[in-house]
Amino acid sequence: MKLYYLLPLTTFLCQTAFAAPTTETAEKDPAFDGSAKLGFIYSKTTNTSMSLNSATDLNYKKNNWSNKLSLSSFYTDSTEEEDGVNKYQIALKNEYAMGPHSFTYLSNTYNHDQFGTYRSEYIVSTGLGYKFYDTKTTKLVVGGGPGYRHSRRQADDPDYPNQTEQNMIANAFLRAKKQFTPTFSAGFESNVDYGRSNTAYNLEAFIKNRLIDHIALMLDTQYIYNTEVASDKSNDEVYSTVSITYDF
């Protein structure tokens, strides 16, 4: 991974180091929180397969700034080679509140996929967002704006090996979450990156039930659709996982 992909992390680090509370109430609120997720499946019938998925979210809020660093990975090892999956994502999103409902954002995402059409992708986007609901039990947020995407195909791509593409894109997202009871919640997120060479649609949904203290059981599904893929790849990707999470 090239070093300039990590440069946006400096925004997060600088805000962490220099931000200061403006009120006594802000001082009492926890600046950091996050969660960790881990799921593991092993099966042995006619074929043997092992699947591992993991994710970590770190949130930092201070004054008008809200920052989220996300790390996630999917790994599947199977005796059927075409069923293999090895991919990870690093994402950093910075938001600045302009009022009780509106905000600006800067999003940076790096994707690496061992077997997909695109070996690597770097996406940066910025724009405006609006919070229709932002309570402890209900959240509904939309946003959108322009962006830039740099992608590179696999070396063994049957159509365009190692081809790199650089496009201006239009980004739009929708996030929703509902806390039905103190222990049960559900959420949904959709994201679209529209570009000349490829348009990517990403839909995610989850249900989560707290088992004890900070530990919960989570079921989530992610659906990805790319309009332009290699001739030997499918446009669709689906990842469904059952995981144990720890919130802190």
Side-chain angles (χ1 to χ4, degrees), residues 19-23 26-27 62-63:
T22 56
T23 65
E27 184 69 33
K62 209 69 168 180
N63 302 331

Side-chain angles (χ1 to χ4, degrees), residues 215-234:
I215 299 175
L217 178 68
M218 176 182 284
L219 286 74
D220 59 75
T221 298
Q222 181 181 21
Y223 173 76
I224 301 173
Y225 184 88
N226 287 284
T227 57
E228 298 296 329
V229 296
S231 57
D232 61 344
K233 303 294 182 182
S234 171

Side-chain angles (χ1 to χ4, degrees), residues 51-246:
S51 298
L52 179 68
N53 66 280
S54 62
T56 301
D57 292 333
L58 299 174
N59 304 298
Y60 177 78
K61 297 180 180 180
K62 209 69 168 180
N63 302 331
N64 292 336
W65 286 100
S66 176
N67 311 281
K68 182 176 182 179
L69 176 64
S70 300
L71 311 172
S72 63
S73 66
F74 291 97
Y75 174 79
T76 298
D77 185 19
S78 174
T79 54
E80 297 291 332
E81 293 184 1
E82 64 272 15
D83 293 332
V85 175
N86 187 354
K87 62 185 300 183
Y88 65 84
Q89 181 184 86
I90 304 173
L92 174 64
K93 191 161 191 175
N94 310 103
E95 296 181 359
Y96 181 81
M98 300 185 297
H101 299 286
S102 59
F103 62 91
T104 62
Y105 71 89
L106 174 65
S107 177
N108 294 270
T109 303
Y110 176 79
N111 297 307
H112 179 89
D113 195 331
Q114 187 78 16
F115 301 109
T117 297
Y118 301 97
R119 179 78 168 197
S120 63
E121 283 186 311
Y122 172 67
I123 303 168
V124 58
S125 60
T126 186
L128 300 175
Y130 190 84
K131 300 178 181 179
F132 288 95
Y133 296 97
D134 188 21
T135 68
K136 290 184 177 180
T137 60
T138 305
K139 297 183 184 296
L140 178 61
V141 183
V142 298
Y148 165 83
R149 178 176 59 208
H150 180 280
S151 61
R152 180 170 65 89
R153 291 203 176 203
Q154 301 285 355
D156 58 354
D157 189 292
D159 309 306
Y160 307 102
N162 279 325
Q163 182 187 61
T164 60
E165 295 176 325
Q166 303 180 54
N167 295 145
M168 297 299 296
I169 62 171
N171 168 261
F173 66 86
L174 167 67
R175 300 195 302 262
K177 183 180 178 181
K178 179 67 176 179
Q179 189 77 36
F180 294 97
T181 71
T183 60
F184 181 75
S185 62
F188 173 84
E189 181 171 350
S190 63
N191 188 83
V192 179
D193 291 319
Y194 175 83
R196 177 179 57 83
S197 62
N198 177 50
T199 297
Y201 301 88
N202 192 322
L203 306 176
E204 299 180 56
F206 76 88
I207 57 174
K208 185 176 181 180
N209 187 58
R210 183 163 59 86
L211 302 176
I212 183 172
D213 295 333
H214 301 284
I215 299 175
L217 178 68
M218 176 182 284
L219 286 74
D220 59 75
T221 298
Q222 181 181 21
Y223 173 76
I224 301 173
Y225 184 88
N226 287 284
T227 57
E228 298 296 329
V229 296
S231 57
D232 61 344
K233 303 294 182 182
S234 171
N235 297 82
D236 306 274
E237 298 177 52
V238 179
Y239 304 94
S240 297
T241 65
V242 180
S243 310
I244 294 295
T245 68
Y246 180 83

Side-chain angles (χ1 to χ4, degrees), residues 20-61:
T22 56
T23 65
E24 184 178 352
T25 302
E27 184 69 33
K28 294 179 180 179
D29 292 336
F32 281 100
D33 63 69
S35 65
K37 180 178 74 170
L38 180 64
F40 176 82
I41 297 175
Y42 175 83
S43 65
K44 183 175 178 60
T45 53
T46 304
N47 300 313
T48 300
S49 68
M50 181 182 69
S51 298
L52 179 68
N53 66 280
S54 62
T56 301
D57 292 333
L58 299 174
N59 304 298
Y60 177 78
K61 297 180 180 180

